[in-house]
Amino acid sequence: MSATLTAAAPRRLRFAVSQEWLLAIAILLLFVGVGLYNPRFVASRNLQSILLGNAYVAVAAIGMSMVIISGNIDISVGSLIGVLASVSGGLAVAGVPSVLAWLIPVAIGSAVMAAQGALVAYLGLPSIVVTLGMLSILKGGLISVTNGVWISNLPDNYHLAQWSLFGVVPMPVAFMVVLTIAAAWWMRNTALGRSIYAVGGNAEAARLCGIGRERTLMMVFAVHGAFVGIAAVLFATQLSVIQSTVPSNLELTIITASVVGGVSILGGTGTVVGATLAAVLIAAIGSSLIFVNLSPFWLRAVQGILILVTVLADIYRRRRRGLAR
Amino acid sequence: MRLSLAAMALGATLLAGHGAFAAGARWDGADDLPVNPLPCDGGAGTVVSKAYDGGKAVNAPNMAGKPITLVDVPKLIGIGYFNATSQGMQEAAKELGNVKVTTDGPTEAKIDEQIKFIDNYITRGVNGVLFAANDPVAIAPVLKKALSKGIHVVGYDANSTPDAREWFVNQAEFNGIAKSMIDNMAKEMGENKSFAIVTSTFTTPNQARWIAEMWAYAGKCHAKMKWLETVEAQEDNILSFNQASTLINKYGDQLSGLFGMTSVATPASAEAVTRAKLCGKIAVVGLATPNAMKPYVKTDCVKSVVLWNPVNLGYAAVYVTRAVVDGKLKPGDTSVEAGKLGKLMVVNGSEILLGSPFTYTKENIDQFNF
Amino acid sequence: MSERAAPRRLRLPIAAHEAVLLTILIAALAVLATLTDRFFTLDNLLNQGMLMTEVGLIAMPMTFIIVTGGIDLSVGSSLGMCAILLGYSWHNWGFPLPLAIGFALLCGAAGGFVNGWFITRLKVPPLIMTIGTLALYRGLAEGISQAHSVRGYPDWFYGLGQGALFGVPSQLWILGVAIIIFGVILARTTIGRSLYAMGYNETASRFSGLSVDRIKLGIYTASGLMAGLAAWIFVSRVSTTRSDMGSGVELDVIAAVVLGGTSIFGGTGTIAGSVLGLVLIQLLKDGLALTGVKGDATIMVIGTVLILSILITSFAERRRDVARMARPPLRQTATDQTATKQGGTP
């Protein structure tokens, strides 16, 4: 463990790259294996379903990765997505132009997360507790306000999923790809982005290097909130109705994607590209279980094994590098 | 790397070994209760008359004609279906004038949470408890406790064991729903075709019973229809959509019908079929509330939606409770007066039948708003 | 840092937190008791105690785990898995019921042992390990049972969950014994002091000769065992076995422990605090319900109380604990400490 913490930054990045390759290979093998078993699995329609239906998980996992890299965690993310999706839908139905119905949730998400970030950064409260409390507040609040009434009759131009970039890439998928690349570039090549690693890796050292821990943490949460907002909009604009309840276990899926993507829960390492790939892998596995006729009762057990195998592979790899060094 | 290879090997073993756990084994519901398929031709099933098997509120105070307070604890709050039942209860309470009903319950369909809610209301003191059980057996002890404290207990939507409540308002019998679903599907897609099912979870008692009865009825009356697969999708809109899409992608032309077992799964399945531009090629039949289905019924993508009227279900539950309190519904009675619904029949000893399941079609769906 | 000094220095802020909690609890009790006369009755309080037993039992080892800076998210799934194994081994494999109960407890302990083994031997961060087993154990429960529920237990089996001894629900006695055992271990034994030392600075504890790994293995195993015990009580109370039992319990348990003043970063916390946290949440939920607050509003109140309580403690701690803050971070220990403190529980 401590090997990674004291390792120099470039080495750390190289580790992360290999996790990404591992995931890419796993995705490829999965598609080849299941594709041989049932060619319909790799038909473009199914690939599109997998990507389109889960793009929002990947986008939220980008923000989550930043939070975890900074040495924190956010378990309110699923509830916040539920709340922001309802806000977005409510605005759209109320006649607000679609562009605003997309942007306002992003701003609110950022503000809510920044508030939680302030509690974590300036008052030193543990993020797991703050976000656990927020989870209850958001969930209870959503039900109190909406009573679970579905939002329907959304205006036609509200649905992002029906538009596509250059006529081929559906909008949500485009968002996923562009945001992943942008976030990865930002975290690797800007001082602000790199400071996230510094804060997560060794807060004390970061302080000595002149990086304001508090400000960085708050920024991380605010940026995460914006990603959550975008994820909520992708979530809301997918279908012709919005179910105004909190999607169950969504936070678990998102955290899993980040972790399987190679973001070390110890903080300080990992990239968002891995998180996005992991989100795709998890979605693909969910879909493939149906294709290979595995009894659906075993689905969750397979997911659990997947998480453990990925983590073990990662730890094993790190250890070997550590010894080789 | 060796470990990751091991991981791959493990994955491969799992894939290879799937035969051992293959789906496709006969679904017999999440319980071992016997199935009772209706005859194919549409006649009534074998009705065995049964003595009253419900429980009794012990030393309940005589509140005949006096104002009473009821609490309604559904499986969970914040979903359209139970909003509709709650709406019906308020309508009935308003009509009767001497009943006050509050709806309160857990935010997730969890049995232990539901037990806590009922327990709290027993302590708080109410004249009657209305419930829709998350688990028929697990809820029994707390309901018996209510009965022992002189609180009237009436179930609706999802039953408990009979002796734990006085009456149960049955929206439609399991085998009736099953027959209606399978018959509609057979009519729409034809006999020699295959279908798949999207349900909430395998542990949800009502859904499990319906599926078990559907299996029995299909085997008896539509033996040529092929049962492909049942998938879980929680009560989650997006997950239901994804699961339905995956089924469509997996089976391609082989798939001719999709059943939605919940008011969430059915519209999501319809949306998946619409998106795949397969309306008319894949029939969607399911349980759903009319409002959610209007868009798909109007585009002819969905031809029949099976459901009782949940507003009436809640309405009847309140009328039944009032009748019990007023002494107008006693063990052994064969019918009960329920306001605008008229006379409702007593079946199965202590169940009050709301009626046959209703099929919404393009012609009549606009008459309903819930 | 000697292991004996660590808990002593930290005792002050803990006491402060417990005082805060006790004040909130008494205030809440007083307010709720004036709002409704049904709340503050022996009958109701005993009943509430019965309803919180499962969460309480799991909260005991969870306090230990969080004190060491770890976490166990798999407890809810362990509960489900044990419940299924209990019912299934009895109903389908023909085990005599007492054997089935023993088997379920054993499997719970084994599940906890697996967590502990991976965490200590392979150094998998606890949060990740137990997220993995959260999915795995629930998956096993569903896979083994194929979503069938098991009912129809003999009458004696219900004695534990629905019966009473000397007028007090049977399972409350078990909870009481568990509280005393875990409380004594944490406050009065070397193991307890070791737990604090490990949570405060794991590397230093290792160097000072504590068998860190064995203790950790022990507490994760205990966590699984208590989940098994909770499963037995739960099945006995609700008289049926379902594979979705106990889902989400982990968050209730963690909320109680954290509200009780155990720092998620490790190093501080007491069993008394956890019990206070547990009681406060349960009575708040109950009292609010009795005064006519609905379920959705109640969980909002719980969330707010959780954040507020930790906020108040944080302020109190800051004012008191200047010394601890000012401790000069030596380069080596600073690194290690970041590793230990964030180990699994960022």
Side-chain angles (χ1 to χ4, degrees), chain A residues 22 25-26 29-30 33-34 37-38 40-41 45-47 49-50 52-54 56 139-140 143 146-150 152 159 161 234-245 247-249 286-300 302 305 309-310 312-313 316-317 320, chain B residues 1-4 6-8 10 14-15 17-24 27 77-80 83 106-108 110 201-203 228-232 234-239 241-243 245-254 263-265 267-268 271-272 275-276 278 289 291-292 295-296:
Chain A
L22 187 72
I25 293 167
L29 283 178
L30 185 78
V34 181
Y37 185 86
N38 185 341
R40 287 206 185 99
F41 183 66
R45 198 167 69 188
N46 195 47
L47 298 184
S49 291
I50 292 175
L52 205 56
N54 295 281
Y56 72 96
K139 195 171 171 182
I143 294 171
T146 64
N147 262 321
V149 178
W150 289 11
S152 50
H159 294 285
L234 295 183
F235 178 82
T237 57
Q238 233 182 327
L239 304 182
S240 58
V241 290
I242 300 170
Q243 196 182 11
S244 59
T245 44
S248 58
N249 289 333
S287 174
S288 70
L289 285 179
I290 293 181
F291 274 87
V292 300
N293 295 330
L294 191 72
S295 159
F297 298 114
W298 292 99
L299 191 144
R300 250 175 282 232
V302 171
I305 290 174
V309 165
T310 324
L312 287 181
Y316 181 75
R317 211 150 30 85
R320 279 194 32 158
Chain B
M1 209 57 213
R2 214 179 308 154
L3 227 147
S4 47
M8 300 300 166
L10 181 75
L14 267 174
L15 294 189
H18 78 267
F21 317 116
W27 169 280
I77 54 170
I79 66 165
N83 286 342
T107 53
E108 280 169 69
K110 282 193 204 157
T201 66
F202 299 119
T203 47
L228 292 173
E229 189 162 354
T230 307
V231 295
E232 245 184 347
Q234 317 290 338
E235 295 270 348
D236 187 326
N237 206 4
I238 303 258
L239 186 60
F241 173 79
N242 287 349
Q243 296 288 68
S245 302
T246 309
L247 287 172
I248 293 169
N249 297 340
K250 175 181 175 184
Y251 290 108
D253 295 339
Q254 209 190 337
S263 52
V264 179
E271 177 113 7
R275 287 284 174 82
L278 288 168
T289 48
N291 277 358
Y296 312 109

Side-chain angles (χ1 to χ4, degrees), chain B residues 101-123:
Chain B
V101 195
T102 11
T103 298
D104 194 6
T107 53
E108 280 169 69
K110 282 193 204 157
I111 183 61
D112 44 332
E113 288 295 315
Q114 190 178 27
I115 290 170
K116 286 179 191 166
F117 273 95
I118 296 176
D119 214 320
N120 276 335
Y121 277 100
I122 294 173
T123 311

